[in-house]
Amino acid sequence: MTTQPAPQPTTTDPLRDSRFLRACRREPVDATPVWLMRQAGRYMAEYRSLRSKVSFLELCKNPELATETTIFAAEVLGVDAAILFADILLILEPLGFQLEFSKGEGPVIHNPIRETADVDAVRPLEDVEALGYVYEAIRQIRAGLPGNVPLIGFAGAPFTLACYAIEGGGSRNYQKAKAFMYSDPGAWDALMAALTDSTARYLNAQAAAGVQALQVFDSWVGSLSPDDYRRFVQPHMRRLFQMLDPAVPHIHFGADTGSLLELQRDAGGDVVGLDWRVELDQAWDRLGRGVGVQGNLDPIVLFAPVDEIARQTRRILGQAANRPGHIFNLGHGILPHTPVDHVRALVRMVHEFSAR
Ligand code: CP3
């Protein structure tokens, strides 16, 4: 008598097989995955109500509240991925900067870098546990999210963080940061190296805590010429991506980077962010099929009537043409006052129009 081999259980991993992670690996999907930068934020009444009770920094540092905020937004919108509720500037605190989010003004750094000696005081993050509240939020979010919804961790890119550290807040032209870069390239490189090391450790600690993907936000890098990017930023970005945990996909985001896309791709990342100033199909042709793309609806289109949102959604999906590796998103974050029902309609339309 022969014994039958026990039937092998089919091993499916709902997280690994999620649309979002499949798209990050440029594998075919049943419909285009969609999530939205700043999907949890002031355009939602529930968020505003929470913020009337706690400050933004308190919210970021309270893992229970950050968890609730993250999961609520992902659920209400029906998106294919959640993004950790936090901010790119939090890492500046353990690096010695006094950070404040003031009403109306946005982020302020009270002790910005002004001279070479200030850079010497910036040490790479020694103890990643200084941001322990972020990893605790990640553990709680992961435990609370449905088993097939990936969680995205993130950090600011060194250039964007350096802009804040030098300007002391938001800026129109990044005049102080760029002047510092040109006049003291040695100190600039030291600062960028310290920020790169710190960011890599921070992102890898997020991966260890349980995120399924890492997005690097180089929000202000579009202010640089290609030559300046090559000289002052690209070597650091290359080193950053080399240091990141290869077990999770890496998304390389920038805005206003139409002239930098190839340089950004060469620096690293499995997926490159595109904003609405480029045609998705042309940009993807330039990047080649070795990377995925994320984008690229103009966030302002969400203020348009739903039929216009539908038209633009179809256009973008048409340009992506069901090629594996497209993640639908906005070209930049959702703005305050965006109608929530338009955001929900967008998510539904992406899924409906792209169903294979
Ligand atoms: O996307 C999400 O839902 C996750 C949370 C998230 C926030 N900030 C929450 C936030 C993420 C991923 C960020 C990233 C971030 N923060 C970036 C990169 C993305 C981009 O927009 O380019 C940047 C540049 C920052 C810095 C920052 N944080 C600014 C300039 C501001 C003030 C301007 C603004 O939009 O309010 C913040 C505050 C901030 N970060 C808010 C939120 C929800 C609003 C704070 C509030 O509640 O008043």
Side-chain angles (χ1 to χ4, degrees), residues 35-42 47 51 54-56 59-60 69-70 73 83-89 101-102 105-107 154-156 160 164 170 215 217-220 253 255 332-336:
W35 70 278
L36 305 162
M37 290 181 279
R38 290 285 175 99
Q39 62 193 24
R42 282 164 299 180
Y47 177 84
R51 277 281 285 104
V54 292
S55 72
F56 177 64
L59 176 47
C60 290
T69 305
T70 302
I83 180 159
L84 164 72
F85 191 84
D87 197 85
I88 64 164
L89 300 179
F101 286 86
S102 67
E105 263 187 275
F154 70 92
T160 294
Y164 277 102
Q215 175 154 327
F217 282 95
D218 214 348
S219 301
W220 310 138
F253 168 81
H332 211 154
I334 299 182
L335 293 161

Side-chain angles (χ1 to χ4, degrees), residues 304-332:
V306 173
D307 58 351
E308 175 64 20
I309 303 174
R311 203 189 68 81
Q312 299 226 18
T313 302
R314 285 192 197 278
R315 174 182 52 78
I316 290 169
L317 290 170
Q319 291 185 342
N322 287 358
R323 280 187 294 248
H326 176 220
I327 298 163
F328 198 103
N329 206 315
L330 306 176
H332 211 154

Side-chain angles (χ1 to χ4, degrees), residues 18-27 29 33 271 325-327:
S18 64
R19 281 176 195 151
F20 170 81
L21 287 176
R22 290 183 62 89
C24 287
R25 298 190 301 265
R26 299 188 304 285
E27 293 168 7
V29 285
V271 178
H326 176 220
I327 298 163

